[in-house]
Amino acid sequence: MPVGPMSLSRNRWFIILLFCGVGFAIVALLSSFSLRSTPSGEEVRASKRATLASFPITSKGIRIRGWEKGVLRFLLEAETMELDKGGTMGKCTGGVKLWVFRDDGSVQAVLESKEAFFNLHQRNIRLLEGVTVVSSSGDRLETEELFYFNERKLIQTDSRVRAYVGGHFLESEGFRSDVDFENPEFFRVVQGTFRLESASPKR
């Protein structure tokens, strides 16, 4: 049976309407799914609280070794370490001890504190409470906050320090030095028995 121009026109409109209907249905379905899958503000906050509640990860008896080009540069020990959510910062508590080594493997200095924050990427350490630094020659530093910068092997603080260097005592507000006190810099001297003419000889 021959199909006339009118039948073709009707079929064309029917197909167009069918495609439009299917398209609208798909859009409505996707919109509905998108609205349902977007969490509300309270759900987001609840999720964050749950994430925070599940972190930090706590570990006991921590020993972290820092290697550079196959050479052991430091050893960090802590009774407890808590990692932050990103695993980039560790909070060490219950006693912290850091050994810093020379190229030949000998101990350059030992740093101790009650608490510390350790950046696992940069390997810099912020030591807090009862901080002591003892060099291999016996020179000693005492303070309540100290930063150890691993790349340059420097220690620095803006807090008050009590230093016993080369047989002399010095108290200062702020201090910077390499860990074995070869080149100490005292920011503002408070008191002491340090004499420039009797500075420690090079070791």
Side-chain angles (χ1 to χ4, degrees):
M1 180 178 177
V3 179
M6 187 64 73
S7 297
L8 287 175
S9 178
R10 283 186 197 145
N11 289 342
R12 186 180 303 125
W13 280 110
F14 175 76
I15 292 170
I16 291 171
L17 287 173
L18 180 64
F19 275 112
C20 287
V22 171
F24 282 125
I26 290 173
V27 169
L29 182 63
L30 290 176
S31 298
S32 172
F33 177 77
S34 176
L35 290 172
R36 286 198 305 269
S37 65
T38 302
S40 66
E42 181 53 37
E43 287 173 321
V44 170
R45 287 189 289 273
S47 177
K48 286 182 179 179
R49 285 196 296 270
T51 302
L52 289 172
S54 63
F55 284 87
I57 300 171
T58 302
S59 299
K60 301 286 186 179
I62 294 298
R63 288 172 65 92
I64 298 176
R65 292 174 175 83
W67 298 86
E68 293 177 11
K69 298 179 181 178
V71 177
L72 182 63
R73 287 299 188 177
F74 70 82
L75 171 63
L76 175 68
E77 285 189 351
E79 288 185 16
T80 303
M81 177 182 281
E82 299 173 313
L83 288 178
D84 69 352
K85 180 182 175 182
T88 60
M89 183 68 69
K91 179 183 179 182
C92 306
T93 54
V96 181
K97 200 166 185 178
L98 175 71
W99 285 268
V100 181
F101 301 100
R102 296 188 180 90
D103 292 343
D104 62 4
S106 62
V107 176
Q108 191 172 10
V110 179
L111 294 74
E112 294 187 66
S113 68
K114 293 180 181 178
E115 183 177 295
F117 290 89
F118 177 51
N119 186 312
L120 278 72
H121 287 174
Q122 298 174 346
R123 300 182 173 186
N124 296 333
I125 303 173
R126 178 189 178 199
L127 300 110
L128 297 165
E129 293 187 50
V131 182
T132 62
V133 182
V134 180
S135 71
S136 58
S137 63
D139 291 337
R140 180 183 180 89
L141 180 83
E142 298 172 356
T143 187
E144 289 302 307
E145 180 183 43
L146 186 74
F147 292 88
Y148 169 72
F149 299 99
N150 179 65
E151 186 176 354
R152 290 169 289 166
K153 305 296 183 293
L154 292 177
I155 53 175
Q156 181 171 329
T157 182
D158 290 326
S159 300
R160 179 167 293 203
V161 300
R162 296 169 60 87
Y164 304 84
V165 180
H168 302 282
F169 164 74
L170 192 70
E171 191 169 352
S172 172
E173 293 286 351
F175 174 83
R176 180 190 298 120
S177 177
D178 38 14
V179 292
D180 54 6
F181 305 110
E182 286 289 339
N183 301 287
E185 180 184 350
F186 299 91
F187 295 169
R188 188 169 70 85
V189 175
V190 177
Q191 62 175 335
T193 61
F194 204 89
R195 297 191 304 274
L196 293 177
E197 65 271 20
S198 61
S200 300
K202 290 288 185 180
R203 291 182 279 277

